[in-house]
């Protein structure tokens, strides 16, 4: 049984929040929205996944007790507002998002375990932590959700969360587990970006019907 909620080093935690907040702010910029809308998109993307996780496990939303989170989110929105969008878009932001996705999936699963959640639901909450903010952002913006991308995304979060849960239940050193889980998720997402790896989509198979005699 885990008794204390683990946390990433503060700098890494805030960096992950800033990365996701930046993706939200850039979407608002692409849609030519106001700064207020840009800041809102940055907020829901940066803290959405963690807030949903905390609500489900009955914990106070993580950003309500850390004044730095809101400052980082709105600071990121300001940076996005005053800089050209082309500076941030492209492969650099994709790779940064991959790093944040894996890190938050690890943190989400580890925190769920710390609050007594069973292993399988804890892994699911790890995926929620990594992906939900982007989903909420895309739904509000009315654009195709990030989880509908053809290349692997949710799968990478699931890999990081799964390794975190399995290693934690096995009683392995947390630092080693988290490091391995982050590397695995980041590597899988990076491979998907580089080589456009994707799971096969559903295809309905036509049933063969025997000819009936007249």
């Amino acid at each position: 049984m885990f008794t204390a909620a683990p946390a990433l080093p503060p700098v890494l935690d805030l960096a992950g929040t800033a990365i996701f907040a930046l993706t939200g702010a850039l979407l608002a910029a692409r849609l030519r929205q106001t700064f207020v809308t840009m800041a809102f998109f940055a907020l829901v993307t940066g803290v959405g996944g963690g807030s949903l996780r905390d609500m489900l496990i009955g914990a106070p939303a993580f950003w309500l007790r850390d004044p730095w989170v809101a400052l980082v989110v709105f600071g990121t929105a300001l940076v996005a507002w005053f800089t050209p969008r082309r500076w941030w878009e492209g492969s650099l932001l994709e790779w940064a998002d991959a790093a944040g996705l894996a890190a938050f999936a690890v943190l989400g699963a580890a925190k769920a375990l710390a609050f007594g959640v069973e292993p399988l639901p804890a892994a699911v909450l790890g995926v929620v932590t990594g992906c939900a903010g982007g989903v909420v952002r895309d739904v509000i913006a009315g654009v195709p959700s990030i989880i509908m991308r053809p290349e692997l995304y949710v799968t990478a979060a699931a890999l990081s969360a799964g390794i975190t849960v399995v290693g934690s239940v096995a009683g392995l050193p947390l630092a080693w587990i988290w490091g391995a889980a982050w590397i695995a998720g980041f590597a899988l997402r990076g491979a998907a970006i580089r080589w456009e790896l994707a799971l096969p989509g559903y295809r309905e198979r036509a049933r063969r019907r025997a000819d009936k005699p007249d």
Side-chain angles (χ1 to χ4, degrees):
M1 177 66 65
F2 298 83
T3 58
L8 291 172
V11 173
L12 296 180
D13 199 1
L14 291 174
T17 300
I19 290 168
F20 285 134
L22 182 60
T23 66
L26 290 176
L27 177 57
R30 188 181 302 121
L31 298 175
R32 300 186 180 279
Q33 297 297 312
T34 66
F35 175 75
V36 172
T37 302
M38 179 178 285
F40 177 75
F41 271 52
L43 179 65
V44 297
T45 310
V47 306
S51 297
L52 179 57
R53 174 207 61 213
D54 291 345
M55 179 185 70
L56 291 173
I57 64 177
F62 73 101
W63 58 279
L64 295 179
R65 296 189 175 186
D66 185 351
W68 286 103
V69 174
L71 289 174
V72 165
V73 167
F74 292 117
T76 301
L78 282 171
V79 170
W81 180 261
F82 287 109
T83 56
R85 184 161 53 92
R86 66 177 182 275
W87 286 13
W88 304 103
E89 293 191 319
S91 60
L92 177 61
L93 188 58
E94 291 247 35
W95 284 92
D97 179 79
L101 175 72
F104 274 43
V106 171
L107 176 62
K111 186 171 183 179
L113 288 172
F115 276 81
V117 178
E118 293 297 320
L120 184 56
V124 173
L125 285 175
V127 176
V128 168
T129 306
C131 301
V135 173
V136 173
R137 173 202 64 205
D138 295 339
V139 169
I140 294 174
V143 300
S145 173
I146 193 170
I147 65 173
M148 302 301 291
R149 288 182 176 184
E151 74 270 12
L152 301 178
Y153 191 85
V154 177
T155 307
L159 178 62
S160 287
I163 292 175
T164 300
V165 168
V166 171
S168 299
V169 171
L172 301 176
L174 291 181
W176 288 95
I177 296 168
W178 294 353
W182 178 84
I183 291 171
F186 176 70
L188 181 58
R189 177 62 188 144
I193 294 171
R194 177 64 178 82
W195 294 293
E196 299 183 353
L197 302 181
L199 296 174
Y202 171 77
R203 293 183 180 180
E204 186 174 0
R205 297 179 180 179
R207 294 181 178 178
R208 295 182 179 179
R209 296 182 178 179
D211 293 335
K212 295 181 179 180
D214 294 335

